[in-house]
Amino acid sequence: MLRFPNRTSSSAPRAVLIGIVVAMTALGGLSWSAVTALDFLDTLDRAEGDTLQAASMIEGQAGPVLRHGFERLDGVARRLEAGGGLSAFADAAIAEGLSASGAGTLSILDTEGRTIFGPTIALDAGVADSLVSEMTAAVGRGVAALPGRAEGEEAVVLAQPVAGPGGRFQGTALFAIPAVRLTGVSKAFEGRERTAGLFRPDGLRLAGHGALGLGALPLPAPGDGLVEMERPLGGRASLLALRRVGDLPVLAAVGVPREVVLAPWRIRLDRGVAVALTSLLALFGLAWMGWASQRRETAARTALEEANTRLEQRVEERTSDLRALNQKLVRALNEKERANQAKARFLSAANHDLRQPFQALRLFHHILIERLRDTQDREIAERMGEALDSGEKLLHSLLEVATLDAGVVRPNVTDVPAAAVLEDVVSEFRAAAAAKGLALRVRPCPLLVRTDRALLTRMLRDLVRNAVAYTESGGVTVGCRRRGQWLRIEVWDTGPGIPAEQLDAIFEDFVQLGNPERDRSRGLGLGLAKVRRKAALLGHAVEVRSRLGRGSLFAVSVPVAAADRAAPAFAPASSGREPRKDGRLILVVEDDPVQRGGMQLLLESWGHHVLTAMDGEAALARLRAAERPPDVVVSDFRLPGDLNGVQIVTRAGELLGRPVPGIILTGDTAPERIREAVATGCRLLHKPFTPDLLREALAAVGTERAARQAQTAA
């Protein structure tokens, strides 16, 4: 017995299979349709980009040439307008300048369109008829571009109206650029059913090939471009790309028929039908792979973001710590700066205030010791002088540092024999070294060096003084080593040495090692600070090396003088003493009555006549009432009232009608005060000063006055 299969049961899988096939076919058809539509749009987008790029290439080639032509044309028009319009042709120099047209043909037309300068430039009939009216309306509004011919060749003609006095139209300047210079890129599209070239905003073609006219065109902003998708060209819908050439009324245009643009897409459309199902399957596979890849990428991105978050937290914590530390450091630096400024103000004030009584003591001590005749009394006075000398040395050290900081020291650099300087320095400390049982040796050096002898001597004196002071046994050696064009002057000692961490600190102000009790007999701690300042002023280098328990080496590097220079001859120093001149009238201005009285007694003991005043107003009053003008004004720098010492000397000269010699006395060591006093030309004495220094200053101003009188008489 035969049994047939159950049709119902066999059709169910088939229906399912058909349903799957139909569903897949429908899905594939939809997918293929979507891809085809996207391809269609993409084809148009690519064509749009290609045509815009082609227009940019044409604009890139033509832009520099047209801009150069416009600059030439604009320069000619401006020159004509500046010269009074077309009447400038009466000037041969202007005509000669206009003839230098450069890479193009220049012509000048009158108001009727006739050529009055340069070769004839032929314009197309359509634009030639309207040229005059167009140029008349364009006065003051820029350049126009026209198609034409120059010297038998196609050309792009730039036209610019020429305005005369009152802005009236007087003619047109034309500049023809050969079309071959502008169509190199557009020729690449020739024969490909394209329109490419340069066009006016009204659509008239200036150069290129294809359609002669495009109709009215939009004018993009300079440097911008645009694309029209449905521009009719030659009876066919075309894609048209436009770019403006700089800020000129010229457009670079490329037009392509849409059927040419879509031809590749139609080929792909035919081939796509055959592979639609395969593409559909491939799309599913790629989608699955993409989804899996995206899932892995998401997981990796999440892990990276978490790691980045943790890193940013750590960086923020470190930054916060550094910011807090930096703020602490800034506060510490500010505190240090305020402390240094406070110290400087205190020292300046204390230095000034201490000099006043020291000066009075010095004056009265000088007068007292001249009047004492008893031996025991003079011995007491001499001990008093020693105490004054000790105090003055401390003040003078502060003054020297302040003077160096003020920048008023001017080195006198000459050829100096090194041996003489070394011998002068060492001879000063032989007795002190012998008293401590030290061997003080100097090694001779035959070289000349370029330096300031006085400053170098003071530097070496401070170095040798320190070496002798801090060396308890052994000795001190001073010698030289030549290093190329430099001479190292070295001071060796066998003292206790300096810790490595203190080698920089010893050059700071008021730093003394091994003197915690601040014994003033061992100095103030300013010696090495002054050495550093003087070395910087002279451009010399200072070096230090030291070993604990073995000793130290200080070296100053000084440039060697030229080999062919002879050693300078040394003249004996002048004693600085002035022969006694009685009868000089001296005006003393001092607000401190003790110092004023002491100064008066001292000067009168030298045979001078003295007028005294406590401030500027009183001094000027004494000058007006005096029977004869003073020979010298001796004044303190800082005085009560509106006038200081320098101003009193100046006002005295104005009152008497001639310059009056002045000696300024000051105890102020502030750098700005020192610079101000030195700039006046007066003699400057720092308190406390010895009577001998005052005597020398009086002699100096007397000598200068005599020289001026002799020069005037001659």
Side-chain angles (χ1 to χ4, degrees):
M1 179 177 173
L2 296 176
R3 300 188 64 183
F4 297 94
N6 190 332
R7 292 182 178 271
T8 304
S9 61
S10 62
S11 62
R14 191 180 302 117
V16 173
L17 179 60
I18 292 172
I20 294 175
V21 171
V22 171
M24 292 296 295
T25 301
L27 184 58
L30 292 174
S31 300
W32 174 78
S33 299
V35 171
T36 302
L38 291 174
D39 186 30
F40 175 82
L41 297 176
D42 186 58
T43 300
L44 292 179
D45 288 341
R46 285 199 301 270
E48 179 181 352
D50 292 342
T51 53
L52 190 59
Q53 183 178 8
S56 297
M57 293 171 62
I58 296 174
E59 189 270 339
Q61 180 204 12
V65 179
L66 291 175
R67 282 192 293 272
H68 174 70
F70 169 70
E71 292 172 358
R72 295 291 302 167
L73 184 63
D74 186 64
V76 169
R78 290 181 182 276
R79 190 167 182 177
L80 289 173
E81 292 172 356
L86 296 183
S87 61
F89 283 111
D91 186 350
I94 295 180
E96 181 181 353
L98 294 177
S99 66
S101 58
T105 301
L106 175 67
S107 294
I108 306 297
L109 307 182
D110 60 11
T111 56
E112 301 298 329
R114 295 187 298 269
T115 301
I116 62 173
F117 177 81
T120 300
I121 298 176
L123 302 175
D124 289 356
V127 297
D129 296 338
S130 61
L131 175 63
V132 173
S133 59
E134 183 177 348
M135 290 294 101
T136 302
V139 170
R141 293 192 297 171
V143 69
L146 310 168
R149 300 183 66 84
E151 298 180 357
E153 297 183 358
E154 290 187 2
V156 175
V157 181
L158 300 178
Q160 182 165 346
V162 177
R168 295 190 302 274
F169 173 69
Q170 285 197 346
T172 305
L174 302 181
F175 190 83
I177 302 172
V180 294
R181 299 193 59 202
L182 303 169
T183 58
V185 174
S186 62
K187 285 184 177 180
F189 308 108
E190 194 170 1
R192 299 175 59 184
E193 301 184 57
R194 296 191 180 189
T195 296
L198 300 174
F199 292 81
R200 286 162 48 101
D202 59 4
L204 183 61
R205 191 179 73 192
L206 299 172
H209 67 277
L212 295 176
L214 302 178
L217 298 175
L219 191 62
D224 289 345
L226 57 86
V227 178
E228 294 186 3
M229 304 299 293
E230 297 289 343
R231 165 73 63 161
L233 296 178
R236 295 189 295 179
S238 301
L239 187 147
L240 180 63
L242 300 172
R243 279 191 66 88
R244 186 172 179 178
V245 180
D247 56 355
L248 301 176
V250 179
L251 296 169
V254 175
V256 185
R258 283 175 62 90
E259 60 188 35
V260 175
V261 172
L262 295 176
W265 174 79
R266 296 184 188 281
I267 295 174
R268 290 192 297 274
L269 179 63
D270 295 338
R271 293 176 180 176
V273 175
V275 296
L277 295 177
T278 304
S279 299
L280 183 62
L281 295 175
L283 181 61
F284 275 116
L286 290 175
W288 172 259
M289 294 175 60
W291 177 78
S293 176
Q294 182 67 29
R295 185 174 56 182
R296 291 192 298 270
E297 182 181 352
T298 301
R301 185 184 297 110
T302 301
L304 182 61
E305 290 176 353
E306 293 177 354
N308 187 49
T309 300
R310 292 193 297 270
L311 179 60
E312 289 179 352
Q313 291 175 351
R314 289 197 295 269
V315 169
E316 182 62 28
E317 292 173 358
R318 297 290 180 85
T319 303
S320 178
D321 294 341
L322 289 175
R323 189 180 298 111
L325 183 60
N326 186 52
Q327 291 175 353
K328 292 181 180 178
L329 180 60
V330 170
R331 286 195 295 270
L333 291 175
N334 291 337
E335 289 296 331
K336 181 180 179 181
E337 181 65 22
R338 284 194 292 270
N340 287 337
Q341 293 175 356
K343 180 183 72 174
R345 290 193 298 270
F346 170 76
L347 288 176
S348 177
N351 192 18
H352 176 271
D353 294 342
L354 286 173
R355 287 173 184 275
Q356 300 286 69
F358 265 104
Q359 183 61 58
L361 285 173
R362 174 60 68 184
L363 295 177
F364 285 118
H365 174 262
H366 182 80
I367 297 171
L368 178 63
I369 204 168
E370 285 185 347
R371 295 185 178 184
L372 290 177
R373 296 293 180 266
D374 185 75
T375 303
Q376 291 183 349
D377 292 341
R378 289 184 64 87
E379 182 178 355
I380 294 174
E382 289 173 357
R383 294 292 179 87
M384 182 189 302
E386 293 175 0
L388 285 175
D389 290 340
S390 177
E392 288 178 358
K393 285 180 181 179
L394 300 181
L395 292 179
H396 282 306
S397 294
L398 295 174
L399 173 63
E400 187 173 6
V401 170
T403 304
L404 291 170
D405 287 340
V408 299
V409 177
R410 297 292 181 264
N412 181 23
V413 178
T414 59
D415 292 349
V416 178
V421 174
L422 299 184
E423 186 59 37
D424 288 346
V425 172
V426 171
S427 62
E428 182 178 345
F429 296 97
R430 290 191 187 280
K436 297 183 67 173
L438 302 177
L440 180 57
R441 295 180 292 272
V442 58
R443 296 181 179 177
C445 178
L447 296 176
L448 293 176
V449 292
R450 292 287 295 170
T451 187
D452 183 302
R453 178 166 183 166
L455 293 178
L456 179 63
T457 301
R458 294 174 188 172
M459 293 169 61
L460 297 177
R461 184 182 295 126
D462 287 329
L463 295 178
V464 174
R465 179 184 294 110
N466 279 357
V468 172
Y470 286 95
T471 302
E472 299 300 331
S473 62
V476 176
T477 302
V478 182
C480 302
R481 299 176 189 269
R482 182 163 185 173
R483 294 290 185 268
Q485 295 301 314
W486 294 86
L487 183 69
R488 280 170 51 95
I489 303 177
E490 301 176 345
V491 178
W492 296 78
D493 66 58
T494 58
I498 304 169
E501 64 274 11
Q502 296 290 338
L503 290 178
D504 291 333
I506 58 175
F507 289 98
E508 296 179 2
D509 296 343
F510 305 105
V511 173
Q512 283 183 297
L513 303 182
N515 188 19
E517 64 276 7
R518 306 298 295 172
D519 182 2
R520 284 292 169 261
S521 64
R522 300 175 64 178
L524 279 175
L526 291 173
L528 293 179
K530 292 187 293 182
V531 169
R532 180 188 60 182
R533 287 173 167 85
K534 293 168 187 171
L537 181 65
L538 293 171
H540 301 346
V542 179
E543 304 174 43
V544 58
R545 295 201 304 268
S546 184
R547 294 180 62 183
L548 287 176
R550 302 290 297 274
S552 303
L553 161 66
F554 288 85
V556 180
S557 294
V558 186
V560 178
D564 57 350
R565 291 178 182 167
F570 297 98
S574 173
S575 64
R577 293 281 183 174
E578 175 197 16
R580 184 181 182 93
K581 293 183 180 180
D582 297 336
R584 298 176 72 182
L585 180 61
I586 300 175
L587 172 62
V588 175
V589 186
E590 172 62 67
D591 60 323
D592 188 335
V594 176
Q595 292 197 59
R596 188 169 61 247
M599 184 72 69
Q600 182 177 4
L601 288 174
L602 178 64
L603 294 175
E604 289 176 348
S605 70
W606 290 347
H608 298 297
H609 304 286
V610 180
L611 299 175
T612 62
M614 67 174 296
D615 55 26
E617 295 298 330
L620 296 178
R622 294 300 302 269
L623 285 175
R624 296 187 186 97
E627 296 180 357
R628 63 186 178 95
D631 299 300
V632 183
V633 175
V634 179
S635 175
D636 192 13
F637 184 77
R638 294 200 295 188
L639 295 166
D642 297 331
L643 301 178
N644 59 30
V646 175
Q647 294 168 336
I648 290 173
V649 174
T650 303
R651 292 285 295 276
E654 295 173 354
L655 184 64
L656 300 176
R658 60 172 177 81
V660 178
I663 300 175
I664 303 300
L665 312 178
T666 179
D668 196 340
T669 60
E672 57 274 13
R673 291 290 175 267
I674 298 174
R675 284 192 290 266
E676 182 179 356
V678 169
T680 63
C682 296
R683 291 280 170 170
L684 181 67
L685 290 181
H686 286 283
K687 299 178 182 180
F689 54 85
T690 63
D692 288 339
L693 289 177
L694 179 59
R695 190 194 302 270
E696 292 174 1
L698 289 171
V701 297
T703 303
E704 292 171 357
R705 181 181 180 186
R708 285 196 298 270
Q709 291 175 346
Q711 185 177 4
T712 303

